[in-house]
Amino acid sequence: ETGVTQTPRHLVMGMTNKKSLKCEQHLGHNAMYWYKQSAKKPLELMFVYSLEERVENNSVPSRFSPECPNSSHLFLHLHTLQPEDSALYLCASSQDRGRDYTFGSGTRLTVV
Amino acid sequence: GQSLEQPSEVTAVEGAIVQINCTYQTSGFYGLSWYQQHDGGAPTFLSYNGLDGLEETGRFSSFLSRSDSYGYLLLQELQMKDSASYFCAVKDGGFKTIFGAGTRLFVKA
C-alpha cells in the first residue's frame, strides 16, 4: 500500500446511525487532515492533527468527532448526521506544514 | 472573510493552451498551490508558488503576483486526459490551506 488510503469508499447511513471513516497514510508524514468536499463548493477544512495532537478545529458540529491514535491513522466518527452532511470526505497528509498535501480518494457519504 | 475566486468552467481544444486564473483574499499568505482532481479521484498536487514569478513543470506552469493577490495555472499542449477539475489553494504558513471552488476543464478533440 502506498500513499493515503481511505475506507470505505462509499457509505450510506441513516440519521440515527453511528459510523466511522478511516484514513491511513504510508508516507511517514506527521500531519493529517480531514476535508469536506461538496459539489461546486471549496474544500472545507474540518480538522488538522500534527504529531497526533489536534491543532485546528474549524467550527465543526459535534456530530463529527475525529481521532488520531498515531501519526499513520486518522478516524472520523459520525453520529446523528443530517442530510446536508452528505458529501465527499477527504483525508490528506503532509510533512510538517508542508506546501503540498497528499490526498486519499475520499469516502462518498450519503445520509438518508 | 477569506475567499479564492476562479472560473467555474473552461473549455479548450486538444493541443491548445489554457490559463486558469485565481484571485485570493485571505488573512494570511504563505504560498499558492494548484491541485488537479479527476472525477472520482483524489486531488493531486501540481505546483506551488511561494515567490512572485513563474514556475514550470513540464506542460504545466504556475504564476504568482503577491502584490495583485493573483495567480494562474497554464496548461500547454492540452491532452484529453487533462479534462479534470483544477483547484487553487492558499497556504497560510500554519496548518491551514484554503481552497477555491475549482475550475472544471473540458478538453475537446
Side-chain angles (χ1 to χ4, degrees), chain A residues 9 33 35 37 42 45 48 50 56 58 96-101 103-104, chain B residues 33 35 37 40 42-43 45 48 87 91 93-97 99-101:
Chain A
R9 288 298 308 273
Y33 311 78
Y35 277 87
Q37 185 176 31
L45 178 63
V48 182
S50 172
E56 290 284 350
N58 257 22
D96 301 320
R97 295 177 175 83
R99 66 184 201 179
D100 61 292
Y101 294 175
F103 281 87
Chain B
S33 302
Y35 287 79
Q37 185 180 28
F45 173 78
Y48 174 83
F87 297 87
K91 187 142 186 64
F95 285 99
K96 275 191 176 176
T97 295
F99 285 79

Side-chain angles (χ1 to χ4, degrees), chain B residues 36-63:
Chain B
Q36 177 193 61
Q37 185 180 28
H38 286 98
D39 286 346
T44 56
F45 173 78
L46 290 177
S47 69
Y48 174 83
N49 294 74
L51 301 174
D52 288 357
L54 193 67
E55 293 283 341
E56 297 180 73
T57 309
R59 294 187 298 115
F60 295 0
S61 303
S62 57
F63 172 83

Side-chain angles (χ1 to χ4, degrees), chain A:
Chain A
E1 288 274 16
T2 58
V4 178
T5 304
Q6 290 186 243
T7 54
R9 288 298 308 273
H10 300 274
L11 177 62
V12 179
M13 59 186 288
M15 288 190 283
T16 57
N17 291 160
K18 288 185 180 181
K19 296 286 185 183
S20 295
L21 310 185
K22 179 183 176 182
C23 176
E24 184 174 0
Q25 59 99 359
H26 309 271
L27 300 165
H29 289 166
N30 56 17
M32 297 186 77
Y33 311 78
W34 280 116
Y35 277 87
K36 176 183 178 183
Q37 185 176 31
S38 305
K40 299 189 189 292
K41 293 174 72 174
L43 274 72
E44 299 172 48
L45 178 63
M46 300 176 73
F47 302 104
V48 182
Y49 277 82
S50 172
L51 299 171
E52 298 137 53
E53 301 249 348
R54 193 189 310 179
V55 296
E56 290 284 350
N57 179 347
N58 257 22
S59 303
V60 179
S62 60
R63 57 186 183 269
F64 294 92
S65 174
E67 179 190 2
C68 188
N70 55 62
S71 60
S72 298
H73 293 86
L74 186 65
F75 295 89
L76 189 63
H77 304 298
L78 317 171
H79 65 98
T80 58
L81 294 191
Q82 305 297 311
E84 60 264 28
D85 297 323
S86 298
L88 182 68
Y89 289 85
L90 291 163
C91 172
S93 70
S94 70
Q95 184 57 30
D96 301 320
R97 295 177 175 83
R99 66 184 201 179
D100 61 292
Y101 294 175
T102 302
F103 281 87
S105 295
T107 294
R108 173 68 64 186
L109 174 67
T110 303
V111 181
V112 297

